[in-house]
Amino acid sequence: MRPALRLATSNIFGRRGRTLLLIAVVTLSAALIAAVITAMGSVEGALRKRMTMMVGTADARIRHIVSGETVDARLWELVASWPEVASAVPRLQHPLTLRVVRPAWNANPPFQREVRVLSSTAMGSSLPPPEHLDLRPIDLVDGRLPQSPQEIVVSQVLLDRLRGKAGIEGRRSTALAQITSRVADGLASRGVPTDIDSRSPRASSSDEAAAWTAEEAQSLGLGSRIEAVRFPRQVVGYTIVGIAKSELLGGRPQTLLTLEGLERTTGEPDRAGDIEIVLKPGFEPGAFVDKYAGPLRALPDGSKLILQTTEKVTTGFKKNIQNNNIPLLIASGLAFLSAAFIITTGMTVSITERKRELAIVRCIGASRWQIAETQLWIGLGIGTIGAVLGVPLGVGIALSLLHYFQNDMKIEVLMPGSRVLIAAGGAIVSALIGAGYPAWRASSLPPLRALSARAEAPPRAGVWWLLLLGVIMIALQPVPLYAGLGIDQTVLLYLWFGLPCLLIGYFLLGVPVLFAMTRIASVAVARSMRLPPVLLRRSMEATPFRNGLTAGAMMTGLALLVAIWTQGRAISEDWLGKIRFPEVFITGTQLKPRHQRELDRLPFVTQTVAITLQAVEAVPLDPNTAPDQTILAMDRTTFIAFEPKPFFSLAKLIFVEGDEVTAAQRLEQGGAILVAREFATARRMGVGSKVRLGYENRWKDFEIVGVVSSPGLDIVNQYFDLGQSFAETAVHAVFGSRADLRDSLLDGAEPNTQLIQVGLVPQSDPAGVDDETADARIRDALSDGGILDVGNGRKLRADITAVLERSMLVVSAIAVMSMLVACLGVANLIIAGIDARQFEFGVLRAVGARRGVVLRLVLAEAFLIGLAAIVLGTCMGLQAVWAGQKIDALLIGIELRVHPPWIAIASGWVVVLVLTVGASAPAVFALGRRSPRELLAAVRG
Amino acid sequence: MIRCTNIRKTYDLGGRKVDALCGLSLEIPGPGFYAIMGQSGSGKSTLLHLLAGLDSPDSGEITVAGSPLGAMTDAEATLYRRRVIGIVFQQFNLIPTLTAVENVELPGVLASEPAGALRARAMKLLSQLGVGERAGHRPDAMSGGEQQRVAIARALSGSPPVLLADEPSGNLDSANSLRLWELLATLALEMKITIVMVTHEPAAAAWCDRVFVLRDGALVGEFPTLSSGEGPERKLDAAGVAARYQQYLR
């Protein structure tokens, strides 16, 4: 065995208590990071699975330039003939209103059997042909995929809704409840299984009625009939042949049918939402798109087609996943660095304690490298043991929590893959890094000086150097934010350079800050603890590095708490608070003005706004517009029309240029439009620019009177149509008044309404109703409005708030874990300090100090360390938030104010002080039990 | 065996320069037990540290067992300490986390010697020094005398030709001190090694073959403890050594 390894082994086992503390630090850090990685893995897996199910694995696709429009499905034959193409598959998605007709027994006497219709909206998606099913992986719980146009697969969530499960929104219609004597005929004509005939038309009690009703609802499943409503009054029947897994992470219920099966409902044969293209190996999607974009446009109606790589569609999801990962990556990185610092401090303290021992080993023939190697072996041993214990612990905790919240979060619990080895590797690396400085320190100890019993004055020059170095490192933190790089590069550079500089800088500042804190606060602390001030001050100043770096290790958790609470408040007030969108969105295919009037008559509705999406042509009139309009062709513009005043009362738009009052007035006057920020940026236009819009050769010039952004609309857009990013819509959209559209472009014809925004009375108001009632009554009022989708804005906001609160809770938990890990470092330091100063304490007792003085001295030192950690952690947290504000502005385009919640932060201060003093308590109590003679004897050998 | 020629060494103590050795020259011949005596600040510990290769002289030459110490690199000094000398300190300086036998094995471990042979040699040494039954005990379970014996065993484990002892009885009571001096004298004789002991106690020096007296960083005299001249040879006792010692200090 290598000599250094033997020395390291004897060292590890010789000081078990202290070694166990350091192992515990690494174990907890590794557990924390393994838990984070495991949780992230399951969340990412769910997101990725959903993305794959939604977007597929195709390399490219052809679709209509206007979202929601279809293309000729037969186009796939032409595309399949291109030499680069392995397969081309048409795909159609269409919203469906599905209903099931089930017998039910009225819960009131005479408990008569009736017909009950339960309905729900869902998204219908066509399946690829059997030979191309790998394009869109599907998880089935039961049954099989559809093979004929009469067959359908429904998701578990949709099935639960149609079964009318409690708490699940399904819609009961009693419109047919009055059918009594014709129930049997009615059921038969709807294909309801005839075993219903075995039950009596009348139940004997309400309990029996409820039980029979529930049984019938529950019997809905494989083989049951389900109907899709095809307007005006037709229904199309399907048989359920398969049940798919529930949608991951929320979203609209899904159904799967063959293309022909979906066409039975749409009534439009040979239409597809897009043509999905899989390329042969070796062909690059980008080059493929570049080659065929032109020939595609040359086709009849080719100008309405767009060929794009699927990455363009999925980029938003990848960015979302990356953005979701960022706070957790930051927390993990901080935890690892913090563990490394604690190990550095702990082992350096040990080196200082064992100076004499190390000198002896040098005297009897150990080389410098053997001394250094011993420390590295100790670090490796601590890291390896910590990794072996911590990684399974963390994985186990994460899997247990995920399993517990599985149903709530709708996440499939995935076993962590090789990525969890990052936690193991990180633990070992952090321990080795932590051992690096002690190794150097130990190897460079001059044996002669180490042997002398002479007391050494604490080095002051080093404190100033650390101050300088710390300030420089902190000043480097914002450099990536002002380097003028792209968003991705900026974020990456900040994560890998800026943030570590911040952490290391504040860690190093721990020494000068503690020095300053000692000068400022030691007198007050000493007097409050009935200690001689000079004693406290001198003992703190005797070991400034040890104490200061321990304060640095303690600060990380507090910094995380400060950052997450300040950031959370900013998101809640500056972003969520600014999001104002209508409580209800209604989309339909047959919405008319009278539907809006029906809604206005509902007592719980405050305001309605009808919105039209009209495809128009556009030509810029501004000479400064970007010359190359190939990709952002102006003729693919959607005019989103609404009544300005009611619209602004329901939705909050953030004006990047212009203001709401002026814009509203101008919109009312006519000849004015608003554009989204993405539109203005892409075309280099702004307030005052002019755009000529036209429809069927009727043209009008419009002036841009405002450039807007709306985080709320982004969210709603994602809720309703996940295949199209808001940015893509916004680039091609202008906002104007319905009067302008009607009078200038539609020659007086009333524009169709595709969307109605509805404002509701608050639930607390006497006229207010709950979301479910509002949904049901709105559907009833608009029952002939075409296929309806009703989105609940209040629920959206509540969901967002819940996600935000959950994120804050998770990161806060990580922060507290970091503080607990740091506590072990504090405990190690205190124990080492007591061991090293036993003789000093013995002398104090021998000259007349009471036991309590010695104990309070150690507690006061821990208190000062806690105070320094508070200063460091708060400053670091706020600086991190300031940088986070810049990152948020880059990523989501919103400038959040830094507005620290001081009361919450103050509670964090209390936690730090309690943990720091508490960590030292066991060692202090042990010290109190030792007699002066025992302490004085520590000077011998 | 040990030759020092015109050694000078100056230390900087908090801005104050201290001349520890001022042109010291001495020669210690072959195997035997030798004492270096002097008052506090005479330079005797400094001389021992130079002989141990823990420090280097500002000027002059030192040769120990044929090894010139003046221009050694750190690596060479390490090997020198491992192979040529053994050191015994006043404060025992055993590694507290190692047992007695592990402490004795330590120099051999550092030299990557085979474990089996190392253990056998260590046990033999401990037995020879009368602490064999303490082999498995840690230092905190041993008395001062036992710890010092273990320290001597550790110093001898590499079979060095030179053993340097810095006030080895400084922390021992009189009975243990007496036993220690007798032990060192016996070792020098039986193992034919050179033992150089720094001491301020005449009773300790009386066990040595020769005494070197230092004052103010220079050698002021040396004398054998075996008196020669008229009559039979007679070993000086403590009083005799003290008297001769005082002569050189006057």
Side-chain angles (χ1 to χ4, degrees):
Chain A
M1 192 191 284
R2 288 180 71 82
L5 182 55
R6 280 191 68 173
L7 284 175
T9 309
S10 71
N11 198 277
I12 285 175
F13 288 104
R15 290 183 170 80
R16 286 198 194 97
R18 304 278 294 284
T19 306
L20 278 175
L21 272 175
L22 290 179
I23 289 174
V25 165
V26 178
T27 301
L28 285 181
S29 298
L32 180 62
I33 289 147
V36 163
I37 289 174
T38 303
M40 271 168 54
S42 287
V43 169
E44 264 182 50
L47 282 172
R48 199 164 279 122
K49 203 168 187 179
R50 187 176 187 216
M51 182 176 76
T52 306
M53 287 171 64
M54 294 305 298
V55 177
T57 56
D59 299 305
R61 58 173 50 87
I62 296 171
R63 61 172 182 82
H64 200 281
I65 56 165
V66 177
S67 173
E69 293 290 328
T70 55
V71 301
D72 188 340
R74 292 165 293 187
L75 194 55
W76 77 268
E77 293 171 354
L78 169 65
V79 175
S81 69
W82 293 342
E84 296 89 342
V85 174
S87 61
V89 177
R91 182 170 182 254
L92 183 63
Q93 276 195 307
H94 193 83
L96 301 174
T97 298
L98 298 165
R99 67 186 199 189
V100 292
V101 181
R102 309 300 294 174
W105 281 258
N106 199 309
N108 299 311
F111 312 117
Q112 191 77 25
R113 185 176 65 198
E114 59 192 19
V115 169
R116 192 163 288 180
V117 177
L118 289 99
S119 67
S120 176
T121 56
M123 180 59 77
S125 301
S126 68
L127 283 168
E131 62 271 21
H132 297 302
L133 280 176
D134 57 334
L135 265 178
R136 291 191 178 268
I138 296 155
D139 268 336
L140 287 180
V141 173
D142 201 357
R144 59 173 175 80
L145 293 174
Q147 291 165 355
S148 76
Q150 287 76 30
E151 295 177 342
I152 190 169
V153 164
V154 299
S155 67
Q156 186 69 61
V157 160
L158 177 59
L159 197 60
D160 289 339
R161 286 188 183 185
L162 294 173
R163 283 172 175 167
K165 274 192 175 173
I168 304 290
E169 101 192 38
R171 179 174 161 262
R172 292 184 175 80
S173 167
T174 55
L176 305 177
Q178 292 168 6
I179 300 172
T180 50
S181 61
R182 294 199 301 273
V183 161
D185 292 338
L187 292 174
S189 70
R190 284 168 173 77
V192 176
T194 55
D195 58 358
I196 183 62
D197 296 335
S198 63
R199 291 211 204 278
S200 166
R202 186 178 297 172
S204 58
S205 66
S206 67
D207 286 344
E208 192 172 60
W212 286 357
T213 301
E215 265 187 61
E216 289 304 327
Q218 200 56 35
S219 68
L220 180 70
L222 293 179
S224 298
R225 178 181 162 89
I226 191 171
E227 297 172 346
V229 177
R230 182 181 157 191
F231 285 92
R233 287 196 183 277
Q234 283 179 287
V235 291
V236 179
Y238 298 95
T239 303
I240 298 174
V241 297
I243 303 169
K245 270 191 177 173
S246 289
E247 298 69 25
L248 296 169
L249 302 175
R252 196 185 288 182
Q254 304 286 322
T255 60
L256 296 163
L257 309 93
T258 62
L259 181 60
E260 295 76 21
L262 195 50
E263 285 171 355
R264 291 176 62 215
T265 301
T266 64
E268 293 179 352
D270 295 328
R271 301 303 296 176
D274 46 23
I275 309 290
E276 294 190 315
I277 304 165
V278 176
L279 299 179
K280 291 175 181 166
F283 291 102
E284 207 266 310
F288 172 79
V289 167
D290 290 341
K291 180 178 176 184
Y292 287 100
L296 195 69
R297 273 201 295 278
L299 295 173
D301 282 338
S303 59
K304 294 189 167 57
L305 300 176
I306 183 170
L307 172 63
Q308 63 188 181
T309 62
T310 55
E311 282 175 9
K312 284 188 183 174
V313 182
T314 61
T315 297
F317 286 100
K318 280 186 185 163
K319 263 212 169 53
N320 263 330
I321 290 174
Q322 284 169 6
N323 294 347
N324 285 338
N325 284 350
I326 287 171
L328 292 173
L329 277 173
I330 291 172
S332 304
L334 290 180
F336 262 144
L337 275 172
S338 190
F341 289 148
I342 292 169
I343 290 170
T344 299
T345 312
M347 289 183 67
T348 307
V349 162
S350 179
I351 298 298
T352 309
E353 267 187 285
R354 295 167 45 228
K355 256 191 333 189
R356 198 174 177 81
E357 183 184 318
L358 290 168
I360 297 297
V361 178
R362 284 277 279 143
C363 287
I364 62 175
S367 67
R368 282 188 201 278
W369 171 243
Q370 283 176 325
I371 300 289
E373 195 187 336
T374 304
Q375 301 308 310
L376 293 175
W377 279 115
I378 292 173
L380 185 63
I382 289 171
T384 304
I385 296 172
V388 166
L389 295 175
V391 170
L393 176 67
V395 169
I397 290 172
L399 289 178
S400 305
L401 287 173
L402 282 171
H403 188 74
Y404 185 75
F405 290 109
Q406 188 176 12
N407 289 331
D408 182 40
M409 294 165 68
K410 290 194 176 53
I411 284 181
E412 194 175 326
V413 178
L414 296 175
M415 285 299 290
S418 56
R419 260 195 344 172
V420 79
L421 293 176
I422 293 173
I428 294 172
V429 167
S430 68
L432 276 174
I433 291 173
Y437 172 72
W440 172 81
R441 184 89 196 274
S443 67
S444 55
L445 267 177
L448 209 52
R449 207 161 79 191
L451 282 173
S452 68
R454 203 172 279 116
E456 289 179 16
R460 294 296 165 90
V463 177
W464 290 107
W465 279 113
L466 287 181
L467 174 64
L468 180 64
L469 202 55
V471 168
I472 289 173
M473 296 294 282
I474 288 168
L476 286 175
Q477 177 238 11
V479 164
L481 305 175
Y482 296 101
L485 302 170
I487 295 177
D488 287 346
Q489 290 91 346
T490 299
V491 171
L492 272 175
L493 189 60
Y494 179 73
L495 276 181
W496 289 105
F497 175 77
L499 210 51
C501 280
L502 181 74
L503 181 64
I504 294 169
Y506 272 98
F507 183 69
L508 296 176
L509 275 187
V511 176
V513 165
L514 183 66
F515 208 81
M517 190 59 58
T518 303
R519 290 287 168 107
I520 295 167
S522 63
V523 173
V525 170
R527 291 222 166 101
S528 66
M529 296 180 85
R530 291 179 292 128
L531 293 167
V534 67
L535 195 63
L536 176 62
R537 188 178 128 186
R538 291 287 161 80
S539 69
M540 290 300 287
E541 289 178 355
T543 52
F545 297 101
R546 189 189 301 186
N547 293 328
L549 294 177
T550 302
M554 197 68 202
M555 75 173 172
T556 313
L558 179 64
L560 262 177
L561 282 176
V562 168
I564 193 60
W565 289 339
T566 306
Q567 181 87 342
R569 186 182 185 181
I571 290 175
S572 176
E573 292 179 3
D574 274 357
W575 186 63
L576 264 182
K578 283 182 180 168
I579 292 177
R580 194 174 76 214
F581 46 77
E583 279 86 3
V584 172
F585 289 85
I586 299 162
T587 60
T589 60
Q590 304 283 336
L591 293 173
K592 294 280 186 280
R594 62 179 176 80
H595 293 120
Q596 188 178 2
R597 289 194 292 273
E598 287 280 336
L599 288 172
D600 285 329
R601 279 202 279 273
L602 292 172
F604 52 86
V605 169
T606 58
Q607 184 85 265
T608 59
V609 178
I611 296 178
T612 298
L613 279 69
Q614 179 66 50
V616 299
E617 293 169 71
V619 176
L621 296 176
D622 191 321
N624 294 325
T625 304
D628 181 4
Q629 293 292 308
T630 309
I631 296 181
L632 303 171
M634 292 288 284
D635 59 354
R636 306 172 194 163
T637 303
T638 303
F639 191 116
I640 300 175
F642 47 82
E643 297 301 328
K645 269 203 186 133
F647 179 84
F648 285 124
S649 72
L650 284 182
K652 173 77 176 173
L653 296 180
I654 299 168
F655 278 74
V656 178
E657 282 183 51
D659 64 273
E660 185 177 306
V661 171
T662 310
Q665 275 174 0
R666 289 296 311 279
L667 288 173
E668 293 278 0
Q669 287 164 7
I673 53 173
L674 304 176
V675 297
R677 185 177 52 172
E678 290 78 2
F679 183 105
T681 305
R683 292 170 173 72
R684 291 188 227 148
M685 291 178 137
V687 170
S689 299
K690 289 196 171 21
V691 179
R692 178 168 293 166
L693 301 175
Y695 180 74
E696 291 183 350
N697 287 324
R698 287 183 290 274
W699 295 88
K700 177 163 181 170
D701 294 345
F702 290 85
E703 183 185 343
I704 295 176
V705 297
V707 179
V708 298
S709 75
S710 173
L713 290 177
D714 187 7
I715 295 165
V716 172
N717 190 81
Q718 286 192 36
Y719 177 84
F720 277 101
D721 188 356
L722 285 151
Q724 184 88 7
S725 73
F726 173 72
E728 218 169 295
T729 309
V731 162
H732 298 291
V734 300
F735 303 82
S737 72
R738 284 173 70 87
D740 254 338
L741 177 65
R742 180 188 62 227
D743 299 335
S744 304
L745 299 181
L746 299 184
D747 201 21
E750 191 61 37
N752 288 327
T753 300
Q754 283 83 28
L755 181 77
I756 300 179
Q757 297 182 348
V758 182
L760 301 181
V761 169
Q763 289 189 34
S764 55
D765 196 283
V769 296
D770 60 55
D771 294 334
E772 205 173 309
T773 307
D775 182 273
R777 290 183 62 179
I778 286 171
R779 287 176 187 272
D780 275 341
L782 303 182
S783 57
D784 65 340
I787 293 169
L788 277 177
D789 207 351
V790 180
N792 190 313
R794 282 202 290 229
K795 189 167 179 307
L796 263 179
R797 186 193 292 274
D799 286 346
I800 296 167
T801 306
V803 166
L804 176 64
E805 287 172 356
R806 210 174 281 159
S807 299
M808 282 177 63
L809 192 63
V810 167
V811 182
S812 296
I814 293 174
V816 171
M817 276 282 286
S818 287
M819 284 204 273
L820 289 173
V821 171
C823 276
L824 297 174
V826 170
N828 187 51
L829 168 78
I830 298 293
I831 293 170
I834 289 173
D835 279 351
R837 295 157 67 196
Q838 289 177 83
F839 184 72
E840 174 192 330
F841 293 141
V843 169
L844 272 175
R845 297 278 271 123
V847 302
R850 291 189 160 193
R851 186 193 309 264
V853 169
V854 171
L855 304 188
R856 289 199 302 277
L857 180 62
V858 178
L859 288 174
E861 291 169 6
F863 188 81
L864 282 173
I865 291 172
L867 282 182
I870 283 170
V871 169
L872 292 165
T874 305
C875 291
M876 180 177 153
L878 291 176
Q879 186 169 341
V881 167
W882 168 82
Q885 179 195 26
K886 304 288 178 211
I887 298 279
D888 285 334
L890 279 174
L891 287 175
I892 61 177
I894 296 178
E895 196 88 11
L896 300 175
R897 289 176 307 141
V898 175
H899 191 190
W902 289 112
I903 295 177
I905 291 173
S907 67
W909 296 344
V910 171
V911 169
V912 168
L913 286 174
V914 165
L915 285 178
T916 312
V917 173
S920 61
V924 167
F925 287 135
L927 174 63
R929 287 196 292 270
R930 301 181 69 182
S931 67
R933 188 192 63 78
E934 283 177 327
L935 295 170
L936 287 169
V939 74
R940 297 180 61 213
Chain B
M1 172 67 79
I2 296 175
R3 182 179 292 125
C4 301
T5 309
N6 200 21
I7 303 299
R8 291 187 183 276
K9 182 68 184 176
T10 303
Y11 289 112
D12 191 339
L13 288 177
R16 186 170 60 95
K17 290 216 181 302
V18 174
D19 294 321
L21 295 174
C22 307
L24 178 138
S25 295
L26 66 74
E27 192 169 311
I28 298 175
F33 189 15
Y34 303 90
I36 297 178
M37 291 187 74
Q39 291 174 323
S40 191
S42 61
K44 53 186 191 296
S45 291
T46 301
L47 174 61
L48 203 76
H49 292 154
L50 292 178
L51 294 178
L54 292 173
D55 207 348
S56 52
D58 295 334
S59 64
E61 287 172 5
I62 303 177
T63 307
V64 175
S67 302
L69 304 189
M72 279 198 303
T73 63
D74 181 77
E76 288 167 344
T78 301
L79 285 176
Y80 166 77
R81 288 196 294 274
R82 202 183 281 177
R83 294 176 186 161
V84 179
I85 62 153
I87 307 179
V88 179
F89 298 93
Q90 176 179 356
Q91 289 177 348
F92 325 137
N93 288 327
L94 297 178
I95 307 298
T97 55
L98 300 178
T99 61
V101 68
E102 288 168 346
N103 265 286
V104 175
E105 287 176 338
L106 192 53
V109 167
L110 294 170
S112 301
E113 291 182 25
L118 202 52
R119 176 56 56 108
R121 191 163 81 237
M123 289 303 299
K124 186 179 169 191
L125 274 170
L126 287 172
S127 298
Q128 275 179 328
L129 296 179
V131 280
E133 72 279 6
R134 293 304 208 183
H137 289 84
R138 287 201 182 160
D140 57 2
M142 292 189 271
S143 68
E146 288 168 339
Q147 289 188 52
Q148 196 60 295
R149 284 167 186 264
V150 173
I152 292 171
R154 182 179 69 190
L156 292 174
S157 73
S159 305
V162 176
L163 180 72
L164 305 173
D166 188 358
E167 308 262 16
S169 55
N171 276 355
L172 299 178
D173 55 50
S174 52
N176 276 315
S177 295
L178 206 59
R179 279 197 277 271
L180 180 70
W181 302 326
E182 186 183 9
L183 174 64
L184 290 174
T186 307
L187 286 172
L189 192 63
E190 290 182 357
M191 296 177 80
K192 293 188 176 21
I193 57 175
T194 303
I195 299 180
V196 177
M197 178 176 66
V198 164
T199 185
H200 64 272
E201 295 180 77
W207 287 87
C208 297
D209 301 329
R210 195 167 191 83
V211 178
F212 296 86
V213 180
L214 267 58
R215 189 176 72 189
D216 296 331
L219 180 70
V220 295
E222 56 182 281
F223 57 90
T225 57
L226 196 62
S227 68
S228 59
E230 295 177 7
E233 275 192 339
R234 183 170 65 86
K235 191 91 163 84
L236 288 175
D237 61 6
V241 167
R244 293 295 300 275
Y245 171 59
Q246 287 301 326
Q247 281 176 2
Y248 287 106
L249 291 185
R250 275 201 283 272

